[in-house]
Coordinates of all heavy atoms in Angstrom, one line a residue:
W553 N -49.0 -5.7 11.8 CA -50.2 -6.5 12.1 C -50.9 -6.8 10.7 O -51.7 -7.7 10.7 CB -51.1 -5.6 12.8 CG -50.6 -5.6 14.3 CD1 -49.8 -4.7 14.9 CD2 -50.8 -6.7 15.2 NE1 -49.6 -5.1 16.2 CE2 -50.2 -6.5 16.5 CE3 -51.6 -7.9 15.2 CZ2 -50.3 -7.2 17.6 CZ3 -51.5 -8.7 16.3 CH2 -50.9 -8.3 17.5
L561 N -54.3 -15.9 8.4 CA -55.3 -16.3 7.4 C -54.7 -17.6 6.7 O -55.6 -18.5 6.3 CB -55.7 -15.3 6.3 CG -56.4 -14.1 6.9 CD1 -56.7 -12.9 5.8 CD2 -58.0 -14.5 7.2
P594 N -61.3 -18.0 4.8 CA -60.0 -17.2 5.1 C -59.2 -17.1 3.7 O -58.6 -16.0 3.6 CB -59.4 -18.0 6.0 CG -59.8 -19.4 6.0 CD -61.3 -19.2 5.6
A629 N -65.7 -10.8 -0.9 CA -67.2 -11.1 -0.6 C -68.0 -11.5 -1.8 O -68.8 -12.4 -1.8 CB -67.7 -9.8 0.1
L745 N -26.5 -17.8 8.4 CA -26.9 -17.2 7.0 C -26.6 -15.7 7.0 O -26.3 -15.1 6.0 CB -28.4 -17.4 7.0 CG -29.2 -16.7 5.7 CD1 -28.5 -17.4 4.5 CD2 -30.6 -17.0 5.8

Side-chain angles (χ1 to χ4, degrees):
W553 282 98
L561 287 174
L745 183 59

